[in-house]
Amino acid sequence: MTSPDTSAPARPVAPERYNAKETEPRWQQAWEAAGIYATKNDDTRPKYYVLEMFPYPSGRIHMGHVRNYAMGDVVARYKRARGFNVLHPMGWDAFGLPAENAAMERKVNPRDWTYANIATMRGQLQSMGLSLDWSREIATCDPDYYKHQQRMFLDFLEKGLVTRRTAKVNWDPVDHTVLANEQVIDGRGWRSGALVEQRELTQWFFKITDFAQDLYDALDGLERWPEKVRVMQKNWIGRSEGLEVRFVVEAPPPGIAPDVKVYTTRPDTLFGAKFLAIAADHPIAASLASSRPGLQSFIEECRRTGTAQAAIDTAEKLGFDTGLKVRHPLDPSWLLPVYVANFVLMDYGTGAVFGCPAHDQRDLDFANKYGLGNTPVVCPETEDAATFVITDTAYDGDGRMINSRFLDDMTPAEAFDAVANRLEAEVLAGTPVASRKVQFRLRDWGVSRQRYWGCPIPIIHCDACGPVAVPVADLPVKLPDEVSFDVPGNPLECDHAWRNVPCPTCGAPARRETDTMDTFVDSSWYYARFTAPWLQDAPTDRKAVDQWLAVDQYIGGIEHAILHLLYARFFMRAMQVTGWSGVSEPFDGLFTQGMVVHETYKDAAGAWVQPADIRITAEAGERQAFHVKTDAPITIGAIEKMSKSKKNVVDPDDIIASYGADTARWFMLSDSPPERDVIWTEDGVQGAARFVQRVWRLVSLAAATTGGASANDAGLRKAAHKALASVEEDVERLRFNRCVAHIYTLANALDEALRGGVEAGVAREAAGILTLLVAPMMPHLAEECWQALGREGLAAQAAWPVADRSLLVEDSITLPVQLNGKKRADVTVPREADKVEVERLTLADEAVQKALEGRAPKKVIVVPGRIVNLVV
RNA sequence: GCGGACGUGGCGAAACCGGUAGACGCACGAGACUUAAAAUCUUGCGGCCGCAAGGCUGUGCGGGUUCGAGUCCCGCCGUCCGCACCA
């Protein structure tokens, strides 16, 4: 026997190190075997639907997924522990261009490529230990999913929510396809690099504008959405209130309409009008083109600059005087010139504006260029109306009306109403001169894509009958299995066997629609499908949809703030019209998480180097990087979003293999607030890994201790219940970084108590609470701890502990004492002491007396439980 | 240009309704244990002065309100994000 070590305090022998590699798969199997994450619709507990944005099956998961799904899983596990019937499903946003690119580059079938990726990524997600109901898994490229989407397309068509019309689109002449605006970079196709053309194509549209007002108004009710996202959607929908005014054309030439309609939000400034400007595509411009020399080429020039998005920023305001004159609506004797101008858009308002140079910068630039002058009609309160002039900066603020006849001295708002009232009452050729209008910036949603790997639009084109809906009984219109990308463009167009079908109405030879739907359609209703994904003959079950929706907590990236989240809101409304849903808003709570960012590294040649190849030294606080293989010095660059091109990526598989899923999850949830970016660092991961070991060690020690009653008992109990109450509060608000801090604090308290001696039952209670607090974040570790503590069942099924609030109130409290706002002393008073008592105890305090230096305070401010401030 | 968010130690951050600024973690320093390393433990850590007790100062900058301001108000500076010829 060796002599006892007197230098170190007596402690039980440390347990074996926690081995995540061994425990994690074991517990994943245990959960799977117990089937505890499969959710039933017939369950009497209150429902809670938590959903993370489903991934595109690109091949492998990345750290952004880990962060996103770790957050969702914390919520799901927490709510389950709180007694909710939790729906937490997962699926695949599986249609899209990368599959076609892979098909072209690697000669694989897009379907095979996609399903192989899904298999890989499903395995990766399962290795994270997420509490997902895999029995509800869906893939949008599965005919069992998209046949319902086709059905809804036909329903929308029947209800007038789908139209077909020609529209200008971005056309890539090399790839033979339409590009979304986001896919056009500096006027070129993002993949081919070809100059994008504007083409008129016949397209299918979802009439999202039918719901513009409601989509706008309902944003105010989405209180659990980030303010930022609501503002972005409001700006995107772009509601404005104005007046549509008719300007009568003086002596109209043949073929020219008798008046020009103008939409304006500033009818109050009408007396400052100097010109009218119409779009290059305006019917009047087209009619005049042949009779006005130079106009045709000007129109063409406008169209060219219109295509190059980047050029718009710097484009000069250009106009062409048509020679046409219109009469001022408030004074028929006042004639205004009509220009064709390159800054007027045909698809907003009426395609014509009146120019008021004094109060609109763009109009002023234009007027100054063409010598049209300006007349200020709104005078700021700080200026003298007699001397107020505008030279090269327009004034768009508030003030008083001047130079405006019957409007003089009114505010612009009053003038707006006065003009609107007068012109609405005035009738010309049977109709009022003006009418109030609400305008939206939002355009209808063009869903036609000239691609193979998407949901086929269920329409058959017949020469005699026109576009005919595919009968519901014939759905799905399945994509052909065999596909060739040898010919540029959409392979469906060349697949005659697939394309040529008889007309469902007359039986004559006809052709299938070869366009497929925008993949944003697929993701617009998947959350509704999750409520009853087993249904074969209908997209949704009304009972299930109304039971589960809205999603209580939706979590995803801010990049979907507008498109996906707006389309989904539209879709719910359209599904309400067609009877597939009883609710209009899909997501009650929305959380947009930050990105995962990492340092970048470059070698001497300027090539990016991946973190796995870097060795960092920190001598005297100076961080230096070297290549692991060559030892060559490496430059440490900016911290940026993880991206393949900059090679600053860390593969979740590597982290899970070397540290375990719990470590990766814990690190993703600690440090940064969830809405902010988190910096991935090797030090941070190691810190997380150390904490995993620490929890295991502490819980094991607590399980093994035989300590009797101790002075530390009350303190530890208090710490445990305090941590419990705090974590509860913060997890409800998704403040995971704060939860982490509370858990660390409890771990410190438990550590100290075990070291100083603590009663065994108290230690085990605290360890049990620690285990359950950790469980939503590190579920595998929690199971292992739960078992070590000898508790029944699975930690994943354990009820959330109840915080004993009586432990949280202190018997006595220590208040800071300030002298003229500066802290000078602390005073300890009984919890129930009233103001008078606190004041008495404060003034009796030795340190306070010393600080007062014999002075008597003029005023004593006591904020119970907070502070005492003495004013001398 | 329009709209929004943010600015706190070496770093990530915390601070509720205006009430002890820097909880918690990372990094770093000193020490213990070790043949050594890792792990673990003790301890220090905004700045300045001081052996210490303690004092002064400090939340981007300048003002203001208040007994009291990181927090509220006014004016700047800076960073990031979104939209952008929207009439």
Side-chain angles (χ1 to χ4, degrees):
Chain A
M1 213 173 155
T2 54
S3 59
D5 183 354
T6 49
S7 65
R11 299 188 78 187
V13 175
E16 274 180 47
R17 284 179 67 75
Y18 177 77
N19 182 356
K21 223 179 224 171
E22 184 271 318
T23 61
E24 291 187 350
R26 186 153 49 76
W27 289 113
Q28 284 159 20
Q29 280 160 23
W31 296 328
E32 169 78 35
I36 54 175
Y37 304 135
T39 305
K40 293 190 179 69
N41 281 4
D42 56 342
D43 189 306
T44 51
R45 293 173 297 170
K47 70 97 181 180
Y48 195 89
Y49 188 176
V50 55
L51 183 68
E52 300 96 65
M53 291 179 184
F54 67 162
Y56 177 77
S58 57
R60 305 184 63 74
I61 64 166
H62 53 69
M63 278 301 171
H65 292 127
V66 174
R67 193 177 193 203
N68 191 180
Y69 301 143
M71 288 180 190
D73 203 42
V74 171
V75 175
R77 288 176 180 277
Y78 171 76
K79 287 291 178 182
R80 225 175 263 123
R82 293 307 297 257
F84 287 88
N85 183 31
V86 171
L87 177 57
H88 187 213
M90 182 52 73
W92 309 96
D93 191 11
F95 273 135
L97 194 58
E100 292 187 40
N101 292 340
M104 282 182 256
E105 285 158 20
R106 285 179 251 167
K107 304 283 173 202
V108 291
N109 184 291
R111 174 178 292 97
D112 298 341
W113 182 85
T114 302
Y115 279 103
N117 287 348
I118 288 175
T120 305
M121 292 173 73
R122 186 192 299 116
Q124 290 185 299
L125 292 184
Q126 284 167 344
S127 77
M128 278 182 67
L130 302 170
S131 64
L132 291 164
D133 181 356
W134 285 104
S135 73
R136 295 184 188 233
E137 178 183 6
I138 53 180
T140 59
C141 64
D142 192 328
D144 275 345
Y145 181 80
Y146 70 66
K147 74 176 180 190
H148 302 298
Q149 191 163 303
Q150 293 174 335
R151 166 83 179 273
M152 285 197 287
F153 180 94
L154 298 177
D155 291 343
F156 290 1
L157 187 64
E158 200 184 306
K159 293 284 181 187
L161 294 170
V162 174
T163 60
R164 187 169 183 256
R165 63 174 119 92
T166 59
K168 271 196 207 164
V169 293
N170 304 306
W171 179 259
D172 185 321
V174 171
D175 279 354
H176 293 261
T177 185
V178 165
L179 297 177
N181 285 334
E182 304 80 51
Q183 293 162 340
V184 181
I185 297 150
D186 291 335
R188 292 174 183 273
W190 67 290
R191 217 179 75 85
S192 68
L195 270 178
V196 168
E197 299 167 3
Q198 297 287 95
R199 275 210 187 172
E200 290 264 335
L201 279 186
T202 305
Q203 302 253 298
W204 292 97
F205 286 87
F206 283 164
K207 290 173 75 180
I208 190 170
T209 55
D210 280 8
F211 298 97
Q213 185 73 59
D214 186 44
L215 286 168
Y216 187 91
D217 292 341
L219 284 169
D220 289 330
L222 296 174
E223 285 165 15
R224 290 181 52 234
W225 278 41
E227 179 66 20
K228 181 187 172 81
V229 175
R230 287 192 280 170
V231 168
M232 280 165 74
Q233 289 214 355
K234 278 202 170 185
N235 290 341
W236 185 264
I237 297 168
R239 184 180 189 279
S240 72
E241 287 178 22
L243 198 66
E244 191 174 287
V245 187
R246 288 158 60 208
F247 284 69
V248 174
V249 179
E250 177 71 3
I256 298 293
D259 53 30
V260 185
K261 283 196 181 106
V262 164
Y263 176 74
T264 176
T265 55
R266 294 296 303 273
D268 48 304
T269 64
L270 260 175
F271 286 110
K274 293 294 173 189
F275 62 94
L276 226 67
I278 61 174
D281 296 324
H282 196 280
I284 289 179
S287 305
L288 292 172
S290 52
S291 60
R292 300 288 195 280
L295 179 53
Q296 187 58 43
S297 60
F298 179 76
I299 290 170
E300 278 158 22
E301 198 188 322
C302 291
R303 283 184 187 151
R304 268 199 302 281
T305 48
T307 58
Q309 305 278 336
I312 286 173
D313 289 357
T314 47
E316 206 182 344
K317 309 283 171 274
L318 294 175
F320 185 96
D321 189 352
T322 61
L324 220 58
K325 303 269 192 252
V326 290
R327 291 186 190 178
H328 195 286
L330 293 165
D331 180 356
S333 67
W334 182 353
L335 297 180
L336 295 164
V338 178
Y339 283 77
V340 176
N342 65 348
F343 61 83
V344 182
L345 307 172
M346 192 57 220
D347 60 0
Y348 186 81
T350 58
V353 300
F354 85 83
C356 176
H359 304 291
D360 182 291
Q361 191 58 46
R362 193 193 45 208
D363 293 347
L364 184 62
D365 293 344
F366 189 81
N368 285 346
K369 183 175 172 75
Y370 293 101
L372 302 171
N374 75 73
T375 305
V377 291
V378 180
C379 181
E381 300 287 0
T382 53
E383 294 275 344
D384 181 355
T387 58
F388 182 56
V389 289
I390 296 285
T391 51
D392 50 16
T393 306
Y395 175 72
D396 60 4
D398 210 352
R400 289 278 160 188
M401 302 308 299
I402 55 169
N403 303 322
S404 292
R405 306 185 197 182
F406 71 99
L407 304 175
D408 281 349
D409 289 331
M410 290 183 189
T411 64
E414 289 162 354
F416 183 115
D417 283 331
V419 170
N421 291 343
R422 177 175 293 207
L423 294 181
E424 275 179 325
E426 198 171 319
V427 175
L428 205 69
T431 41
V433 172
S435 56
R436 287 176 209 251
K437 276 239 164 109
V438 173
Q439 271 285 332
F440 295 95
R441 216 172 64 94
L442 186 68
R443 299 282 81 114
D444 276 333
W445 175 15
V447 295
S448 299
R449 295 292 181 271
Q450 292 67 43
R451 300 195 198 288
Y452 165 78
W453 195 232
C455 171
I457 293 172
I459 293 289
I460 292 166
H461 296 281
C462 170
D463 289 334
C465 311
V468 178
V470 172
V472 170
D474 293 351
L475 297 180
V477 177
K478 273 174 119 171
L479 286 170
D481 287 332
E482 293 306 314
V483 58
S484 161
F485 290 92
D486 294 343
V487 181
N490 183 354
L492 294 177
E493 286 183 35
C494 308
D495 190 336
H496 299 290
W498 181 84
R499 195 179 171 190
N500 294 328
V501 287
C503 169
T505 308
C506 71
R511 297 158 313 281
R512 284 195 191 283
E513 169 71 62
T514 55
D515 285 352
T516 54
M517 290 184 217
D518 183 359
T519 55
F520 275 109
V521 179
D522 313 338
S523 54
S524 290
W525 69 286
Y526 77 106
Y527 49 87
R529 181 68 187 168
F530 275 137
T531 64
W534 47 80
L535 284 183
Q536 279 303 309
D537 50 5
T540 63
D541 168 29
R542 262 302 288 277
K543 198 170 147 245
V545 163
D546 295 355
Q547 172 192 350
W548 284 109
L549 292 182
V551 173
D552 295 279
Q553 188 62 62
Y554 197 35
I555 309 177
I558 186 77
E559 67 272 19
H560 295 107
I562 295 174
L563 296 178
H564 162 58
L565 290 169
L566 189 60
Y567 293 150
R569 296 181 64 222
F570 156 73
F571 230 84
M572 270 292 103
R573 283 163 171 78
M575 285 172 70
Q576 208 176 14
V577 170
T578 54
W580 297 116
S581 169
V583 298
S584 57
E585 283 296 340
F587 313 119
D588 191 35
L590 172 70
F591 189 84
T592 54
Q593 101 268 6
M595 297 183 296
V596 182
V597 296
H598 195 287
E599 271 182 342
T600 50
Y601 307 104
K602 266 186 183 177
D603 63 18
W608 301 105
V609 184
Q610 58 182 13
D613 290 339
I614 299 288
R615 181 171 56 84
I616 305 248
T617 62
E619 307 263 322
E622 196 69 20
R623 293 178 75 244
Q624 285 187 298
F626 301 92
H627 200 285
V628 278
K629 290 186 192 118
T630 63
D631 260 341
I634 296 289
T635 311
I636 300 176
I639 296 169
E640 296 188 55
K641 180 182 180 173
M642 284 190 180
S643 74
K644 280 180 192 154
S645 63
K646 287 179 180 158
K647 291 197 177 173
N648 60 338
V649 286
V650 175
D651 192 324
D653 263 4
D654 294 346
I655 300 299
I656 292 172
S658 45
Y659 295 99
D662 285 340
T663 295
R665 293 169 59 126
W666 182 257
F667 179 46
M668 283 289 87
L669 295 165
S670 55
D671 275 357
S672 289
E675 69 278 8
R676 253 182 259 177
D677 292 350
V678 65
I679 306 169
W680 183 277
T681 61
E682 190 57 28
D683 284 336
V685 187
Q686 283 174 10
R690 271 202 301 274
F691 187 65
V692 170
Q693 295 298 338
R694 189 159 179 239
V695 170
W696 173 238
R697 200 168 57 242
L698 292 173
V699 172
S700 302
L701 290 173
T705 186
T706 53
S710 155
N712 296 322
D713 296 352
L716 181 58
R717 290 204 73 209
K718 187 180 275 186
H721 285 265
K722 215 172 188 172
L724 172 56
S726 303
V727 168
E728 214 170 285
E729 192 186 318
D730 282 325
V731 81
E732 293 274 1
R733 293 202 238 168
L734 309 182
R735 299 196 290 200
F736 307 116
N737 58 318
R738 286 171 45 131
C739 295
V740 165
H742 300 312
I743 291 170
Y744 271 116
T745 306
L746 173 55
N748 289 343
L750 178 58
D751 202 349
E752 230 170 282
L754 285 169
R755 206 183 308 285
V758 66
E759 199 265 320
V762 173
R764 282 192 263 285
E765 185 203 359
I769 288 174
L770 177 64
T771 298
L772 290 178
L773 294 187
V774 148
M777 305 186 184
M778 302 196 281
H780 313 88
L781 173 65
E783 295 294 356
E784 205 66 16
C785 292
W786 198 243
Q787 200 174 50
L789 287 166
R791 302 289 196 102
E792 290 291 309
L794 290 163
Q797 284 183 295
W800 191 253
V802 179
D804 184 346
R805 306 253 155 202
S806 69
L807 290 174
L808 306 185
V809 267
E810 315 275 343
D811 293 335
S812 63
I813 42 181
T814 302
L815 295 178
V817 180
Q818 294 182 336
L819 205 66
N820 291 337
K822 279 184 194 292
K823 194 197 160 195
R824 282 292 179 268
D826 287 309
V827 63
T828 301
V829 301
R831 177 166 51 85
E832 66 278 8
D834 61 10
K835 283 191 180 189
V836 177
E837 177 72 355
V838 171
E839 182 174 338
R840 193 186 63 77
L841 288 167
T842 302
L843 293 175
D845 186 82
E846 202 178 318
V848 173
Q849 279 305 320
K850 195 181 156 214
L852 279 172
E853 294 168 335
R855 294 167 293 181
K858 281 186 217 143
K859 195 170 165 190
V860 179
I861 294 141
V862 177
V863 185
R866 282 280 183 204
I867 205 164
V868 182
N869 193 10
L870 307 175
V871 185
V872 291

